[in-house]
Amino acid sequence: MTDQIREEVNAHRQRFEASVDRSEVEPCLCRYKPSSAVVFVFDALVFVMLSTVLLLIATSVVRGDQEITVKPGRLKKIETTLTSKKFVWKSVGDYDCLPDSSGKSAIVLFPLPGEFTLLVIGAKADEPLLETITIKVEGEAPKPPPGPGPKPDPDPKPDPVNPPPIPGDGLRVLMVYETSKTNEPGHLPLFSKTIRDYLDAKCVAAGYRIFDKDIDASRDNKIWQDALKRPRTQIPWIVISNGKTGFEGPLPETVPETLELLKKFGG
Amino acid sequence: MPHIIDDETFFGLTDQLFTHARGLVPRDYNLYPAEMFAPPSEMPLIPQSEWSARIKEMTETQSRLSDIRRGFPSLDQNGHGYCWAYSTGACTMLLRNLNGLPYVRLNPHSVAAIIKGGKDEGGWCGLSAQFLREHGIASEAVWPKHSRSLANDTPAARANMALHKCTEDWVDLTRAVYDQTLTFAQVATCLLNRIPCALDFHWWGHSVCGMDLVEVEPGSFGIRILNSWTDNWGEKGTSVLRGTQAQPNGAVALRVTTASTE
């Protein structure tokens, strides 16, 4: 783009030079016919003036390059060094540029590393202003955030209990029920052979109890007395412990659900 | 086909039914009135229309008391007229299995011998049930098997008895003495709830432990009992009573036992 600017400047110079009618200047010089020294000085002054004008034009079109380094994926506020009533921000490349309300600064965001150009165009009186900002984007792009993950369980179960509700290494299970209500739905897991076979296989020796809520456990091991005293919100109820963590909650209504719950802690 | 005792098979099984020791003495209501136990009125009956489906589910899931028994050997009253203590003793062992408690072989001789002062005398299931509630029952590890000697009645034996009490809601299923249909429905309800029952049968002069309600044929129900004549009798110590042979004259339901490790 710098080449493009040069071309524009050169074109502007050419148009300027073309617009100068030397026939009007030179005849004036010829009619006067000063001395050669005077002619030399006058030519020198004209040259300096022209060069100055051209230089001013050139520098007023491209003035004050900036070079800025930013990180990919991070917002950056850039302020122009130009002085103007209004500004135009022109992004050259695939990145976002958002000027503020004053136009004096803009927020940019580069998704990937690389080198980019940002042009700021202003004006002062009739004089065009142009600023070229070179932006070097360096560093690693931020990692994409993790996906949404699994959908929430529509029927969430209580979180595992930690520390385990029944102390001691190995699997221990307590199920509590009311004898007068065992003919109601949801009690089959208490008596199912499938569940009992699992408990026999996976629990420690004498590692499970299936108690009426009012049983006298004062002559049983203390761990079962304490487990029986733990708060319950309903019956039938199940307490599971594997020595590391455990579960307390309503007994699942079916044998497969109960078995699945047990296997989470007993394997 | 299970071992069945009913009106059709009864006469062909008399040698199996009456050559072993029994010991049932019918209840004397003057001595033991109907009010001595909690009434069964609080127990909602399961309608007969539901029996078949419930039996089927329990059979398929092997969740009957006979399954929960896990094959422990039948008790053996060994020729003494102590069946009325062995029926409740077997019920207590089934409850322990149901509770997941360690297996302990109980000794009903400890109950009957103390009640009868060491004598070989009959009784009814309510007598032993009352003792079980107040004192408990000793294990064979503490009270020697088949011993009627009161020398075994020691503080250590009593302490061991206390480990095996039956607590909670004795249910006198024969409160309605003259309504045998209601009694059978009450027993059926208990068994479908996996509540073992001690059952007295006057026709048999015997008291046994009731385990399962059984549908022998569609619409024809019986009771699977656990006898106290070893596993050599019937089908591993069990049989199914049907018809008039299934109508108990005395019955108590044992609902909750003490939890202990020995």
Side-chain angles (χ1 to χ4, degrees):
Chain A
M1 287 308 299
T2 306
D3 292 335
Q4 182 179 349
I5 296 171
R6 290 199 188 93
E7 287 175 2
E8 288 178 355
V9 170
N10 291 333
H12 183 84
R13 185 184 296 122
Q14 289 169 3
R15 285 196 298 273
F16 175 78
E17 291 180 356
S19 68
V20 176
D21 185 357
R22 297 191 178 275
S23 65
E24 294 183 3
V25 175
E26 287 180 358
C28 293
L29 291 173
C30 291
R31 280 195 298 271
Y32 179 65
K33 286 188 185 294
S35 64
S36 60
V38 173
V39 171
F40 174 79
V41 170
F42 181 78
D43 285 344
L45 283 174
V46 169
F47 175 77
V48 169
M49 286 173 62
L50 280 173
S51 298
T52 304
V53 169
L54 288 173
L55 182 63
L56 284 175
I57 292 171
T59 55
S60 69
V61 173
V62 179
R63 184 205 300 176
D65 287 349
Q66 290 188 62
E67 211 172 88
I68 298 173
T69 302
V70 301
K71 292 182 179 179
R74 306 299 295 269
L75 296 172
K76 178 71 175 179
K77 181 178 180 181
I78 298 176
E79 286 194 9
T80 178
T81 57
L82 298 178
T83 301
S84 172
K85 285 188 178 179
K86 291 186 178 180
F87 300 90
V88 174
W89 293 77
K90 175 71 176 170
S91 58
V92 182
D94 186 14
Y95 63 90
D96 295 324
C97 176
L98 183 65
D100 65 8
S101 56
S102 69
K104 185 71 176 169
S105 64
I107 302 293
V108 292
L109 175 66
F110 299 87
L112 295 172
E115 189 169 301
F116 301 87
T117 301
L118 177 61
L119 299 177
V120 186
I121 303 167
K124 186 173 181 182
D126 294 330
E127 194 174 296
L129 305 175
L130 179 64
E131 181 180 21
T132 301
I133 303 174
T134 301
I135 304 170
K136 292 184 178 179
V137 184
E138 298 174 348
E140 283 189 8
K143 289 184 173 55
K151 293 181 181 176
D153 187 351
D155 184 22
K157 301 292 186 298
D159 291 330
V161 175
N162 199 350
I166 305 175
D169 293 333
L171 185 67
R172 289 178 173 81
V173 176
L174 168 67
M175 290 187 274
V176 184
Y177 66 99
E178 165 55 54
T179 303
S180 64
K181 296 186 185 298
T182 53
N183 64 326
E184 295 178 1
H187 287 76
L188 187 58
L190 296 166
F191 313 110
S192 154
K193 182 177 186 298
T194 299
I195 299 300
R196 286 174 182 253
D197 284 349
Y198 176 88
L199 296 175
D200 285 336
K202 293 292 187 178
C203 287
V204 300
Y208 68 91
R209 297 287 191 268
I210 304 173
F211 280 168
D212 178 276
K213 67 178 181 59
D214 298 317
I215 197 169
D216 177 5
S218 60
R219 291 175 173 82
D220 201 349
N221 284 332
K222 191 174 184 304
I223 60 169
W224 300 114
Q225 298 176 39
D226 294 341
L228 196 58
K229 291 175 186 173
R230 292 179 72 87
R232 300 182 290 269
T233 57
Q234 66 184 72
I235 50 172
W237 188 262
I238 187 166
V239 181
I240 306 171
S241 175
N242 62 7
K244 297 181 181 64
T245 183
F247 173 85
E248 294 177 280
L251 179 72
E253 293 194 359
T254 68
V255 171
E257 289 174 335
T258 303
L259 189 63
E260 182 182 351
L261 177 63
L262 288 168
K263 285 182 175 179
K264 287 181 182 176
F265 299 92
Chain B
M1 192 65 178
H3 185 272
I4 297 176
I5 302 171
D6 58 15
D7 292 334
E8 292 182 4
T9 63
F10 172 78
F11 292 103
L13 296 171
T14 52
D15 59 332
Q16 295 185 33
L17 294 171
F18 301 106
T19 56
H20 298 268
R22 289 159 284 144
L24 174 64
V25 172
R27 177 178 179 176
D28 184 345
Y29 280 87
N30 292 319
L31 295 176
Y32 309 108
E35 295 75 25
M36 72 182 291
F37 293 116
S41 59
E42 296 176 0
M43 179 176 64
L45 294 178
I46 297 175
Q48 184 167 342
S49 60
E50 295 182 18
W51 291 359
S52 183
R54 288 175 180 267
I55 291 170
K56 183 180 178 185
E57 181 189 58
M58 293 171 73
T59 304
E60 288 176 349
T61 57
Q62 299 184 62
S63 58
R64 304 162 295 185
L65 279 173
S66 59
D67 300 306
I68 292 171
R69 174 191 175 193
R70 298 297 190 101
F72 68 71
S74 306
L75 293 171
D76 177 17
Q77 65 184 93
N78 196 38
H80 296 153
Y82 285 170
C83 64
W84 48 277
Y86 274 76
S87 57
T88 53
C91 289
T92 307
M93 291 179 67
L94 284 173
L95 280 176
R96 288 186 61 88
N97 267 28
L98 189 146
N99 292 151
L101 293 167
Y103 174 72
V104 174
R105 193 156 181 86
L106 301 177
N107 189 355
H109 262 69
S110 63
V111 172
I114 291 175
I115 293 175
K116 293 298 182 178
K119 298 176 184 176
D120 185 5
E121 290 184 354
W124 65 289
C125 62
L127 273 182
S128 64
Q130 185 180 27
F131 190 93
L132 278 166
R133 181 167 190 164
E134 295 173 0
H135 306 284
I137 178 172
S139 69
E140 287 185 0
V142 175
W143 191 289
K145 192 176 176 182
H146 304 146
S147 172
R148 291 184 284 115
S149 172
L150 295 181
N152 300 313
D153 188 3
T154 63
R158 290 284 178 156
N160 183 266
M161 283 183 181
L163 299 175
H164 320 114
K165 286 186 176 181
C166 279
T167 61
E168 289 292 324
D169 299 345
W170 289 105
V171 179
D172 187 356
L173 300 180
T174 54
R175 177 65 71 92
V177 176
Y178 299 105
D179 188 344
Q180 295 300 313
T181 301
L182 182 61
T183 299
F184 187 86
Q186 290 169 337
V187 171
T189 295
C190 285
L191 299 182
L192 289 173
N193 279 314
R194 303 170 185 88
I195 299 172
C197 298
L199 307 172
D200 294 345
F201 297 98
H202 291 176
W203 66 265
W204 200 355
H206 196 33
S207 182
V208 290
C209 168
M211 290 194 299
D212 307 331
L213 185 68
V214 176
E215 186 165 25
V216 180
E217 292 166 341
S220 175
F221 299 94
I223 298 173
R224 177 176 284 113
I225 56 106
L226 178 60
N227 207 346
S228 51
W229 294 345
T230 77
D231 283 353
N232 295 324
W233 182 87
E235 187 180 354
K236 292 186 180 179
T238 72
S239 184
V240 174
L241 307 180
R242 182 169 63 156
T244 57
Q245 279 70 30
Q247 300 291 338
N249 303 100
V252 290
L254 281 64
R255 300 175 63 182
V256 182
T257 185
T258 305
S260 64
T261 55
E262 56 178 330

